[in-house]
Amino acid sequence: MMNTNDAQLQELASGFREALRHGVYLVRRLDADGELSAAQLSTLKMLMGEGQRVGEIARNLGVRVPSATEQIIKLERAGLARREPDPTDSRAVRVILTDEGRAAVDSANKRRNQVMAEILGTLTDQDRKALADALPVIDKINAFIQN
């Protein structure tokens, strides 16, 4: 394993963290015109598939369970999510997307992708290829963090 105090590695870590921070700002700006807040959309995206427990949602959002619960209540009131018993644990509850929630995610994704495509369209072919080549590496980093 590489020495994590290596100056080049520290510089790369700093640059990557800074790029991620600005990426978060960019995504929030993409959501500024949407009907859902960035946090609501993030929560809805977590629910794709089998849904998630409230504790997992809170951990992924970086908030405490009561804050995540507030977010879920708002999504339920809007008809975008619902709670149901967890099939694997009778004491637990899963939050899942409703059909309306899935449609809202699809709509937001289309809008976001359109805006992002316009931004990426301003890059050179070489820059777009570099970005495409970096995506599997970013996926590895995300997988490492999630495990």
Side-chain angles (χ1 to χ4, degrees), residues 52-142:
Q52 286 200 346
R53 293 181 183 183
V54 178
E56 292 172 313
I57 294 168
R59 201 168 31 258
N60 286 336
L61 289 175
V63 299
R64 297 187 188 281
V65 169
S67 298
T69 301
E70 273 180 51
Q71 187 75 257
I72 291 159
I73 290 168
K74 287 178 187 169
L75 294 172
E76 284 180 309
R77 285 188 186 137
L80 303 174
R82 71 172 183 273
R83 287 181 257 197
E84 61 180 36
D86 188 324
T88 62
D89 181 351
S90 59
R91 299 163 300 165
V93 172
R94 277 200 171 284
V95 184
I96 64 166
L97 275 182
T98 62
D99 290 341
E100 293 86 353
R102 198 168 308 282
V105 169
D106 290 344
S107 171
N109 280 338
K110 281 187 184 127
R111 190 178 47 73
R112 279 175 156 184
N113 288 345
Q114 186 57 44
V115 173
M116 187 58 72
E118 290 169 16
I119 294 167
L120 297 179
T122 67
L123 300 176
T124 65
D125 289 348
Q126 187 178 358
D127 285 343
R128 282 195 298 274
K129 182 175 181 341
L131 179 60
D133 290 345
L135 293 179
V137 178
I138 294 168
D139 286 343
K140 278 185 189 175
I141 293 167
N142 286 332

Side-chain angles (χ1 to χ4, degrees), residues 5-61:
N5 292 322
D6 175 89
Q8 279 184 309
L9 193 57
Q10 287 290 323
E11 192 175 325
L12 178 61
S14 175
F16 185 61
R17 282 184 45 250
E18 196 64 11
L20 288 177
R21 189 170 64 82
H22 287 287
V24 168
Y25 297 156
L26 171 64
V27 169
R28 285 183 184 152
R29 281 198 302 270
L30 291 180
D31 291 332
D33 300 333
E35 293 137 38
L36 299 169
S37 71
Q40 287 174 316
L41 191 54
S42 290
T43 304
L44 289 174
K45 284 183 146 192
M46 280 179 230
L47 305 180
M48 300 293 277
E50 304 295 309
Q52 286 200 346
R53 293 181 183 183
V54 178
E56 292 172 313
I57 294 168
R59 201 168 31 258
N60 286 336
L61 289 175

